[in-house]
Amino acid sequence: METLCKSGRASPSRGLAAGRALAVRREGVTSAEEKLSQTAAVAASRLRGRVPEPPTPGSATGMDGDDTITAEVCKEADVGDGELWEVMVAGYPVLLVRNKKEFRALGSKCPHHGAPLSKGVLKRERLRCPWHGACFNIKTGDIEEYPSLDCIPSFKVTVEDGKVFVTAKKKDLESSLRVKDTSKRCLLNRETMLLLGGGVAALVCAETLRQEGFTGRIIMVTKEKHVPYDKSKLSKEMNLKAEDIYLRKPEFLDAHGIEFWMEKEAVSVDFQKQKVCFMDGSSQKYNRLLIATGSHSSFLKVPGADLQNVCILQTPEDSSKILELATGKNLVIVGASFIGMEIAAFLSDKAGAISVVEKKEFPLQNALGPQVGGVAMKMLQNRGVKFYMKTELSELKGKDGKVAEAVLASGEKLPADVVVVGIGVFPNSAFLKGTSIARDDSGSILVDLRMQTNILNVFAAGDVVSFPVALLNGDRSSIHHQQVAEAHGHTAALNMLKKDKELHTVPFFWTTMVGKTIRYAGE
Ligand SMILES: Cc1cc2nc3c(=O)[nH]c(=O)nc-3n(C[C@H](O)[C@H](O)[C@H](O)COP(=O)(O)OP(=O)(O)OC[C@H]3O[C@@H](n4cnc5c(N)ncnc54)[C@H](O)[C@@H]3O)c2cc1C
Ligand code: FES
């Protein structure tokens, strides 16, 4: 893999965790990532000389009564210090790591989207996933940095007569992930943790509460009709059904004693009475409250913005609707940020014509600068996408109530059967208006490094907050990344349990366009 630093120089793929580094690499889109077969992974590793040939006939491989398998996987002398190998145990790929001479064996696939971990980066006792930066402890397999929600299994390694053996249970080899142990709900514990939001920040908070031994009531509330889902896929794989991107099934939440209330919108909070009121007239008291209501796409403010088929992308329903409306038709995308560019990339071989309208000179310019933005633009131009840069939309014209034409500030007119707006977001915090909770001018809730708001027993996490960012010398900022929202949820849970833990994470973002992934770490 090559790392393209901001200077554009190629260097080995190190140091994603330090400062801001940017990586562009060739890989399949997410669906292709997931389909990467074990065979291909092993074959690729073998090409790099990191998968040993199978042990010679007669080498020890056995299974005992409780399905425990022991297999010789390689010679001790073959593996250098700091190396990551993919080896086979009873036909299953296992990651073998040698660190400071000691061997560790772990699940070989990242539980997030299935990246081959033998291509990751090892730093001290942490292994960083090559695709979206999740970090695992190589001693335990525990997840230490999101976006993966789950851990990887770890297996016993022994070295005898210069040969390396891995011992594992068959069921652990079959599953590429390990869900952390959790406490059970106990009805005698009358405490209630109320979590507003059904996104990743609230989900990680709920799971962390159980993992950390909380036995009281956990209620997650969302105004949507879905359990938490992988939002990052909405713009990258628009042909998936909502159920295909669920992060947890309803049965999982049930089994962990997490009550999940759907289609229930919070409309006000009485912080003194510790009570939240909902749109349906009901209310719920809490002992500790988490506000993780996320952010919402900004709306266009031009004449015609309320015409039919002018869309934003926020939910699985929006994603399916845009795909259906744009197939074979004229699509105009307003805003060339990540979401706009991902939609243009995904629909480039499906829509009749795609026009992208953007104020800046290059796409993704604010986040990645003109150089990388220029490369992304060229990639999409090669697929027929037309860019209208350094200009603005001045009006949308309609026919029979539906959008028909987009008029630019220059006067140029673009045919438009569907318009998708991706021009930024605002925090979902309007229901807190008039309360004493501290928010900034944009409406983001102000929290400290413990995700604590200015109100006792009230925490906030994810896209809805503005928090002190270490890389900005502690200045507050809102960072709309999945991994950051998860880290917030985790830290909030620990502090809701009075475990006094500060947020410690390096923001990491990825975007995928026509088989290429751009990743960056930093603010
Ligand atoms: C199309 C798209 C693509 C993205 N791609 C990436 C990517 O590739 N990588 C990346 O790192 N990040 C990506 N992001 C950003 C990432 O999804 C967010 O940063 C993350 O989802 C934030 O999590 P959250 O839990 O704070 O909020 P959300 O996931 O937005 O969840 C908020 C929840 O609160 C609910 N809610 C809101 N108001 C109320 C209310 N009043 N009452 C009850 N419930 C309410 C919502 O229905 C929702 O369930 C993408 C976002 C979008 C929209
Ligand atoms: S596949 Fe490992 S973090 Fe996404």
Side-chain angles (χ1 to χ4, degrees), residues 179-291:
V179 178
K180 270 194 180 170
D181 291 340
T182 57
S183 57
K184 290 251 177 308
R185 167 92 171 93
C186 169
L187 295 175
L188 295 177
N189 185 340
R190 308 299 293 268
E191 270 198 311
T192 297
M193 303 288 196
L194 181 59
L195 318 181
L196 297 184
V200 282
L203 176 66
V204 169
C205 179
E207 292 193 16
T208 306
L209 288 169
R210 281 283 179 256
Q211 288 158 8
E212 294 292 320
F214 179 68
T215 58
R217 194 171 180 200
I218 302 176
I219 308 171
M220 278 177 79
V221 189
T222 175
K223 63 180 181 184
E224 289 180 57
K225 54 180 179 194
H226 300 292
V227 289
Y229 54 84
D230 189 342
K231 257 195 179 175
S232 72
K233 290 194 175 170
L234 294 181
S235 45
K236 298 175 185 71
E237 293 179 76
M238 304 177 74
N239 49 357
L240 295 178
K241 290 204 287 288
E243 304 81 66
D244 298 335
I245 59 171
Y246 283 175
L247 292 167
R248 297 299 192 199
K249 296 216 164 74
E251 306 88 72
F252 178 98
L253 300 172
D254 235 28
H256 288 78
I258 299 168
E259 292 175 48
F260 197 83
W261 296 355
M262 290 188 251
E263 298 185 84
K264 210 168 170 73
E265 182 171 352
V267 289
S268 66
V269 185
D270 185 330
F271 291 117
Q272 221 143 38
K273 292 188 179 147
Q274 305 211 154
K275 191 173 84 169
V276 176
C277 295
F278 300 101
M279 181 81 97
D280 60 9
S282 64
S283 62
Q284 176 62 47
K285 294 199 85 171
Y286 61 82
N287 296 94
R288 246 97 68 222
L289 176 70
L290 177 82
I291 304 171

Side-chain angles (χ1 to χ4, degrees), residues 90-222:
Y92 297 97
V94 163
L95 177 72
L96 188 71
V97 180
R98 192 167 199 188
N99 189 36
K100 295 192 191 133
K101 304 272 188 281
E102 273 186 57
F103 283 96
R104 306 275 172 201
L106 301 144
S108 67
K109 276 210 300 189
C110 179
H112 181 230
H113 289 170
L117 291 173
S118 58
K119 294 184 180 172
V121 177
L122 181 65
K123 189 108 191 262
R124 290 191 278 275
E125 299 208 321
R126 263 189 169 197
L127 176 65
R128 185 174 276 270
C129 172
W131 285 358
H132 316 113
C135 290
F136 302 93
N137 183 298
I138 56 163
K139 277 190 178 161
T140 59
D142 279 354
I143 180 78
E144 291 190 344
E145 190 76 84
Y146 299 100
S148 174
L149 290 170
D150 292 308
C151 311
I152 47 176
S154 69
F155 310 116
K156 185 174 156 196
V157 187
T158 44
V159 181
E160 277 173 38
D161 300 331
K163 294 171 187 164
V164 181
F165 296 87
V166 172
T167 301
K169 285 205 168 26
K170 190 160 180 269
K171 71 171 174 46
D172 295 333
L173 289 167
E174 277 166 357
S175 162
S176 55
L177 59 84
R178 176 171 60 82
V179 178
K180 270 194 180 170
D181 291 340
T182 57
S183 57
K184 290 251 177 308
R185 167 92 171 93
C186 169
L187 295 175
L188 295 177
N189 185 340
R190 308 299 293 268
E191 270 198 311
T192 297
M193 303 288 196
L194 181 59
L195 318 181
L196 297 184
V200 282
L203 176 66
V204 169
C205 179
E207 292 193 16
T208 306
L209 288 169
R210 281 283 179 256
Q211 288 158 8
E212 294 292 320
F214 179 68
T215 58
R217 194 171 180 200
I218 302 176
I219 308 171
M220 278 177 79
V221 189
T222 175

Side-chain angles (χ1 to χ4, degrees), residues 334-342 356 358 363-365 422-424 513:
V334 187
S337 63
F338 291 105
I339 290 179
M341 291 294 280
E342 287 176 359
V356 177
E358 164 64 49
L364 315 174
Q365 191 168 322
I423 53 170
M513 277 170 256

